[in-house]
Structure formats: C-alpha cells, structure tokens
C-alpha cells in the first residue's frame, strides 16, 4: 500500500503528483460560447497537445439550440454556470433504498462522494438506480441483476457525464453496476457499502446468514425455542451494511478491490465506521482526477485483473456466487473467463482468510487485521503486480507497505486454513458443463461420497415433503433439487443449501451431499453441489435423475457421476418434455428468452455478445 493518503481522510489514496497517478497538469479548457471563461480544470491535452474536450461538452459547450436548452435547464435546477461549465460531470449511481438494510446508509455516503467531487473541482450528479435487496426481493434479486446492469449502462451512456462513482455492496449490486459501467467504459470508481457490525447473542458473536442457518436448524432439532429465536432476531444484524461474514457481498466487494476499481482497503471498512465516510469522500476526489487523466475502466479491467480477482476470491474462501458474477463481469470487459480458470487457479492458491462460514472470524476482524491490502501482501507471487488500479499506477505500488496485524485472522502462507482454494469445479455425466462446490465450508468426510438420490422437482415440493418420514431419507442419501437454475428458478434462487430433514437434525446430522442447479448464499455451508450446467429446465442431465439412482461425488477428483448407463439415460431423455415458461410477458419473459447458463455467467445473450454501441448525439 502506498504511504500517500488522500488529504484529511485517513484512507490510503492516490499517490502524490509526480508519481504518475496524481492530477494531470492543468490545460486550457473549452469555453461554451457566451458562457464566460474556460474552467481551469479541463482535461489534460491529448498526445498531440490539443485540449481534450470533456464528454459532457457535447451537451453544454456547443453553439446549438440543444446546448442552449441544456444550460437553461441546468439553471432551472438552481446551478450557476461557474458550478458546472467546463468541469468534469460525475454521475453517482446510488442503490440506496428504505427496504435495503445493506444500503440504507448510502444516502449519506453519496453526500460524502459529492463533497469529494466538489473539492476536486468536479460537478456531481446523483442518480437513484434499482436496489437489489437480498433479504426482501423475490423470487431472487439474481433475476434483476441484469436489469440493474442495463439501467446503469444506459444512464451513463445517455446523460452528460464524464465519469462515475458506483455505490453498492449487497450481493448482486456489485456485479450489476460494474457490468453496466464496463459496457460504457468511462472513468469509474466503486464505493463498497461495507459490512455491518458483528452480531451478538448471549455471549456469542454471530455472523449474519451463517448463524441464521445454524440456529434455524437448532430450532428444528428442538434445541432452542421461540424465545431464543426472538432474541436472535434482534442480535443477528445490528447496523446498516451487508453481511459481515465472507458471504457473497464481502466476496464481491473484495473482488472489486482486487480488480482495482475501489480505493485501497475500501472493501472491508465497516459500514458505520467514520473511515467509510472518509473513503467515500476520497473516491469523490479521485474520480475527478481519473476524468482528467482519461483513465477509463477498460484500462483497469484487464485479463490480469480478473485473474487476480479469482485468486483473491479463492484465497478468501469466498462465495460460490463469485464464479457466476466474475464470468459475467469479465465478459462485459471483453475477457473470456471460464470455470477452468477457477479450477486452475484454485489448485495454486491457499486459503489464508480465517473467516466464516469456512473459518472463525468476521469482516471487522479482517479489516483491523490488515484488510485486503494485508491479505494480498501474502499472495504477491500469485498476482499481476504491474497492472494499474484507479488509485495507483500499479498494484505493486498500492500494496507497498501493506501489513498483517493479526496472523490468526489472515494466516501466513505456511499455516493456511486450507492448502488449496476453497472452491472446486466439478465435471461428469451429471454436469457436462460444470458445477461448483464450496468444500471448505463442508464436513470433510463427504468429500468422497456415493449414495442414492432423493429427487425433488421443485423447491415448493421439497419444502412441503422434506420432513416426511415416508421418504426414508438417511444421512447417506443425496438430496437432489431441480428446476431451480437460471431459467427454471427463475433467476437461479439461493435454494442450493437444501434443508436436512428434521428427524436427521435431531439425530445430530448437520451435513449431507446436496445437488442442484440453484445457487446458495455465500453465508451458507455444507457439501452443496451448485450451478449444475446445463440446468434441468433446459433438459440437462439433472432432469433425468430418478429417486434411487446412485450418485458419486469426488471433490478431490473433481468428479460428479450418475451411475445410470447411457442407454437408460437415452430412454429417459426421449421421454422428457420441456416445462412451460411461466412468464408470458414482461421482464420475466425477456429474462427467460435471453439468460445464458451458469457456466457462462447468466448474462443476457444480447448484452454479452461483442459489438459497438454509438455515442448518443446530443446536438
């Protein structure tokens, strides 16, 4: 980490002028006709020495009627010409909402970003965008990730903005915002929402999500009652911010920091810490400099950056959801990232973050142990250190001087939590296009297991019947859920941590092999095989499994095999009929028509394909 700090923030910021990452030398601006002198903070000249016009100049700085109208309407908003003309216009995309507890503080953080933009000589404009609340939105916010990505892309493309600051953090908002921004390719900084405070209950420190599943099973097993559950309701989530375990939110904001699109150390700052406010202001300062430098997102989001993000996720023991999201994000950046890349890198990366659900600690512990800079300082031989970030000329500069303050939270290389990355990619006749399992958060005796399947055709049926003693489910069975994938869910809900039957919970069973084409929360745990591709809804092999079929999972061999011969599978395939699409119109119909499979990121086909989009004519 560089020793330079953004003035007065206490947060590592861009290096001082002269290092190649500070503000470009002032250049003569372009004054709009009849609007007064040029602003002193216009972009640096291009290589030929010509002044480089801001993108927003098309709207504000020309001689035509439209430009006159744009200036008049900006006066209508109450702004003086001196406040915005010739200055970098910064869009702040804010996912704040009254019903999103992970983002409820982002209204205030947007003000801090604005403060930084104003101080740096820019002109901030806040845009409210869709909020994707993991806790409330049904059937799943994954159904709407691509909608937010579309909204972010089209807002940035269609308005007079020169750069963007993205405010998000709850699971799907991070990839959605970055997917949209990558498709537009403006200078961009991401401001993570930050983790909530640790939970507490009767002397125990609680992790949101992880301990929710744990104590719900304790209630089903009869070990706690309604009074304890009522207390837990008030103890699990104590402040604004996303889950403070290494769930999907923390995994993806860490991935964003590893990609180089946040301020250094930003991803682990607790949401209610004053340092979070300072980080947001520093992001506002920095985005104006990025516009002046014309440092666009495409120069940050390279193949090397995505490989480093994968390394980070695996070394953190992060969420399986990161596989889908990083593949989709990379696709928007013109980078082909595959399941094979995850599996290849997983074999070289040790798990060093001792964080729940695979470990012991929570995100506040991680932050004060050194945060992501400290964590990455222990993996430098596995990283591409000479690539740029939004804050520094190189990742090497950004990590210079980074320290680990608690080696129990961020383990040294010779004492890892696990020798290999916490995720494994599986192949076999049940998942020809792949599946994933987070084996670090499961009981290790299940790494190799053969058992008879118990098949559920949909989640509602499973909920209604899972505890029926007539099913005869034992700890050796393999629970199989289908029709829960991208198209079948719809939206691939987090159904993958199938519940263990209550009679087994009462016997002390806490893990079983479970297989589905669904996802699971990053806060979940257990030997849950997820993202089976192709999904059953489109006729993948999972659609052909019958109760009683033997299935073998072998994590070490990266194998998932259905013990049914090809002739029998061919007969079953011939008898299979495709389900009827439930959406006859609306966004759901568009989703089912365009969404791709899990192994390719679940993006929309028309958004993920290559091709150019013209800049809007503002004249």
């Amino acid at each position: 980490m560089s020793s330079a700090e953004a003035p007065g923030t206490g947060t590592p910021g861009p290096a001082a002028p002269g290092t190649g990452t500070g503000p470009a030398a002032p250049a003569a601006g372009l004054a709009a006709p009849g609007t007064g002198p040029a602003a002193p903070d216009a972009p640096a000249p291009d290589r030929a020495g010509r002044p480089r016009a801001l993108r927003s100049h098309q709207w504000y700085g020309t001689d035509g009627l439209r430009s006159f109208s744009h200036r008049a309407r900006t006066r209508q908003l109450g702004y003086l010409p001196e406040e915005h003309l010739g200055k970098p216009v910064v869009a702040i995309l804010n996912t704040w909402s009254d019903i999103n507890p992970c983002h409820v503080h982002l209204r205030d953080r947007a003000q801090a970003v604005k403060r930084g933009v104003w101080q740096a000589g820019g002109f901030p404009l806040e845009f409210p965008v869709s909020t994707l609340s993991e806790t409330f939105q049904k059937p799943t916010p994954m159904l709407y990730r691509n909608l937010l990505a579309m909204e972010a892309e089209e807002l940035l493309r269609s308005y007079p903005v020169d750069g963007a600051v993205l405010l998000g953090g709850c699971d799907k908002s991070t990839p959605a915002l970055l997917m949209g921004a990558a498709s537009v390719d403006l200078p961009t900084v991401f401001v993570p929402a930050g983790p909530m405070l640790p939970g507490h209950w009767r002397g125990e420190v609680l992790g949101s999500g992880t301990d929710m599943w744990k104590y719900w099973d304790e209630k089903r097993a009869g070990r706690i009652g309604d009074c304890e559950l009522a207390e837990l309701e008030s103890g699990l989530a104590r402040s604004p911010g996303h889950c403070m375990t290494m769930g999907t939110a923390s995994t993806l904001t860490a991935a964003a920091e590893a990609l180089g699109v946040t301020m250094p150390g930003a991803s682990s700052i607790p949401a209610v810490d004053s340092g979070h406010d300072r980080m947001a202001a520093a992001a506002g300062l920095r985005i104006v400099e990025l516009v002046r430098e014309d440092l666009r997102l495409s120069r940050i989001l390279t193949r090397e950056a995505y490989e480093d993000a994968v390394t980070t996720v695996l070394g953190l023991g992060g969420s399986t959801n990161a596989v889908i999201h990083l593949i989709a994000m990379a696709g928007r950046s013109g980078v082909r990232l595959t399941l094979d890349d995850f599996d290849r890198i997983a074999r070289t990366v040790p798990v060093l973050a001792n964080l729940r659900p695979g470990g012991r600690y929570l995100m506040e512990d991680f932050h004060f142990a050194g945060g992501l800079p400290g964590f990455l300082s222990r993996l430098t031989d596995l990283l591409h250190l000479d690539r740029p970030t939004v804050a520094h000329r190189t990742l090497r500069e950004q990590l210079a001087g980074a320290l680990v303050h608690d080696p129990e939270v961020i383990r040294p290389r010779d004492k890892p939590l696990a020798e290999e990355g916490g995720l494994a990619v599986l192949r076999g006749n049940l998942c020809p296009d792949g599946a994933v399992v987070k084996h670090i958060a499961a009981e290790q005796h299940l790494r190799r297991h053969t058992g008879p399947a118990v098949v559920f055709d949909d989640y509602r049926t499973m909920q209604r019947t899972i505890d029926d003693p007539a099913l005869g489910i034992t700890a050796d069975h393999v629970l199989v859920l289908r029709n829960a994938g991208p198209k079948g869910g719809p939206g691939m809900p987090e159904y993958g941590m199938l519940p263990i039957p209550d009679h087994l919970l009462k016997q002390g069973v806490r893990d079983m092999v479970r297989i589905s084409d669904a996802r699971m929360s990053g806060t979940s745990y257990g030997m849950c095989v997820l993202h089976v591709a192709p999904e059953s809804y489109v006729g993948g092999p999972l659609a052909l499994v019958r109760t009683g079929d033997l299935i073998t999972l072998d994590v070490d061999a990266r194998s998932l095999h259905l013990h049914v011969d090809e002739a029998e599978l061919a007969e079953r395939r011939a008898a299979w009929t495709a389900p009827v699409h439930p959406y006859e119109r609306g966004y759901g119909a568009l989703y089912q028509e365009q969404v791709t499979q899990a192994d390719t990121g679940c993006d929309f086909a028309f958004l993920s394909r290559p091709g150019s989009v013209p800049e809007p004519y503002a004249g």
Side-chain angles (χ1 to χ4, degrees):
M1 186 187 307
S2 170
S3 59
E5 283 191 349
T9 65
T11 301
T19 65
T21 60
L30 295 176
T35 60
D41 52 3
D46 63 19
R47 291 180 180 178
R50 296 182 297 261
R52 190 169 55 221
L54 293 164
R55 182 176 182 270
S56 56
H57 180 80
Q58 301 176 62
W59 277 261
Y60 285 123
T62 66
D63 251 341
L65 170 63
R66 292 298 175 192
S67 193
F68 165 70
S69 171
H70 298 147
R71 295 193 298 270
R73 291 300 186 174
T74 307
R75 302 298 158 269
Q76 180 185 7
L77 290 167
Y79 294 111
L80 295 166
E82 298 89 333
E83 292 184 85
H84 74 96
L85 287 177
K87 295 185 176 183
V89 179
V90 175
I92 302 170
L93 302 193
N94 194 351
T95 53
W96 168 88
S97 169
D98 272 334
I99 200 168
N100 191 337
C102 307
H103 294 184
V104 73
H105 59 304
L106 291 185
R107 174 180 275 180
D108 294 333
R109 295 302 174 270
Q111 298 308 309
V113 174
K114 289 179 184 178
R115 190 172 79 230
V117 172
W118 284 121
Q119 289 174 354
F123 179 61
L125 293 171
E126 185 177 356
F127 291 77
V129 293
S130 300
T131 193
L132 304 183
S133 175
E134 202 66 35
T135 48
F136 290 105
Q137 196 167 25
K138 306 298 179 188
T140 168
M142 182 63 178
L143 185 68
Y144 301 104
R145 183 200 68 180
N146 296 344
L147 183 62
L148 175 55
M150 291 169 64
E151 182 181 17
E153 175 179 351
E154 298 306 326
L155 280 175
L156 294 177
R157 195 186 307 283
S158 60
Y159 279 96
V161 299
D162 304 299
V165 177
L166 314 174
L167 275 62
C170 190
D171 299 10
K172 314 305 177 295
S173 60
T174 299
L177 291 169
L178 287 170
M179 287 163 68
S183 297
V184 181
D185 194 23
L186 295 175
T188 302
V189 178
F190 184 77
V191 172
M196 68 178 85
L197 294 176
H200 285 276
W201 177 69
R202 295 190 179 184
E204 290 190 44
V205 177
L206 304 178
S208 57
T210 301
D211 283 306
M212 177 186 74
W213 315 120
K214 171 185 171 181
Y215 283 106
W216 184 253
D217 280 351
E218 293 298 295
K219 170 70 163 55
R220 293 176 61 221
R223 297 175 185 270
I224 64 172
D226 291 338
C227 292
E228 291 87 349
L229 214 61
E231 291 176 14
L232 283 161
E233 285 181 8
S234 299
L236 272 168
R238 298 172 46 240
S239 78
H242 60 65
C243 291
M244 71 310 235
T245 55
M246 187 44 68
T248 304
S250 293
T251 300
L252 285 165
T253 54
E257 184 174 339
L259 285 168
V261 297
T262 77
M263 302 306 292
S267 63
S268 62
I269 303 173
V272 295
D273 192 299
S274 62
H276 198 267
D277 221 32
R278 297 193 297 272
M279 176 271 295
L285 285 162
R286 185 60 184 143
I287 187 59
V288 177
E289 296 170 349
L290 292 174
V291 171
R292 290 170 179 155
E293 297 168 20
D294 198 30
L295 184 59
R296 294 172 183 260
L297 206 50
S298 57
R299 289 175 56 194
I300 306 296
L301 297 180
T302 61
R303 170 88 195 173
E304 292 77 16
Y306 281 106
E307 288 191 350
D308 288 352
V310 173
T311 297
T312 300
V313 166
L314 295 168
L316 289 169
S319 168
T320 51
N321 288 307
V323 178
I324 291 174
H325 295 312
L326 282 172
I327 288 173
M329 291 161 63
R332 294 296 190 95
S333 301
V335 173
R336 186 173 183 269
L337 193 67
T338 69
L339 291 179
D340 290 337
D341 291 313
F342 279 85
D343 195 53
R344 170 179 56 83
I345 295 172
R347 296 173 188 271
T348 67
V349 182
V351 179
L352 302 184
N354 188 6
L355 298 171
R356 300 184 201 183
R360 174 182 175 187
Y361 295 99
L362 297 173
M363 287 303 297
E364 187 171 16
D365 305 308
F366 181 75
H367 178 66
F368 291 111
L372 202 72
F375 170 82
L376 292 179
S377 74
R378 295 198 156 166
L379 295 171
T380 52
D381 59 308
L382 303 177
L383 303 173
H384 300 86
L385 296 174
D386 295 321
R387 61 182 177 86
T389 72
V390 297
H392 290 86
R393 182 172 51 196
T394 64
L395 180 62
R396 188 187 308 277
E397 277 186 11
Q398 186 157 310
L399 298 180
L403 298 172
V404 173
H405 308 296
D406 189 336
E408 182 57 31
V409 179
I410 302 175
R411 297 282 187 89
R413 289 287 283 271
D414 60 352
K415 294 182 179 178
L417 201 67
E419 295 289 342
E420 291 188 356
L423 306 180
V425 175
L426 308 174
R427 302 281 183 178
N429 68 344
L430 195 50
C431 55
D433 291 340
V436 300
V437 62
K438 188 175 181 178
H439 55 87
I440 193 175
E443 292 188 8
Q444 296 305 295
H445 73 278
L446 295 171
R447 289 174 72 102
R448 193 180 195 288
H449 179 84
T450 299
V454 178
V455 180
F456 300 95
D457 281 324
D458 61 81
Y459 189 71
R460 291 186 187 184
T461 300
M462 184 276 299
Q463 284 182 304
R464 190 173 62 250
T465 61
I466 188 72
D467 295 322
D468 186 350
L471 293 178
I473 299 175
T474 71
D476 291 330
H477 277 89
V478 175
L479 304 180
V480 175
L481 173 67
R482 54 190 173 211
N483 295 315
K487 293 179 182 287
M492 210 177 176
E494 293 182 340
Y495 293 164
M497 187 183 173
L498 277 66
I500 294 170
D502 57 11
H503 69 277
L504 293 180
L505 290 172
K506 290 172 183 175
Q507 296 171 25
V509 176
R510 291 296 181 271
D511 201 1
M512 297 175 65
V513 175
R514 289 157 274 183
I515 300 171
S516 72
D517 45 17
R519 298 176 301 110
M520 77 176 184
S521 167
T523 65
S524 298
Y525 49 86
M527 197 59 80
C528 302
V529 176
L530 311 159
H531 311 179
V532 169
E535 65 176 306
S536 57
Y537 193 85
V538 299
L542 199 66
L544 310 179
V545 182
R546 294 180 180 174
T547 294
D549 290 346
L550 287 179
I551 296 174
T552 293
L553 165 67
D554 190 333
V555 173
D556 296 332
R558 303 297 201 260
S559 172
L560 185 66
H561 185 74
L562 175 65
H563 294 275
V564 177
D565 63 50
E566 284 302 317
E568 171 64 19
L569 288 176
E571 287 186 19
R572 295 182 187 182
R573 189 172 289 109
W576 179 81
T577 56
V580 176
H581 293 326
Y583 289 96
E584 295 183 351
R585 58 162 303 279
Y587 174 75
L590 173 68
Y591 183 93
Q592 289 196 305
E593 175 189 309
Q594 288 290 327
V595 72
T596 63
Q597 289 294 292
D599 61 303
T600 55
C602 298
D603 200 357
F604 285 165
F606 76 93
L607 294 175
S608 58
R609 68 188 180 214
S612 62
V613 177
E615 275 281 287
Y617 176 61

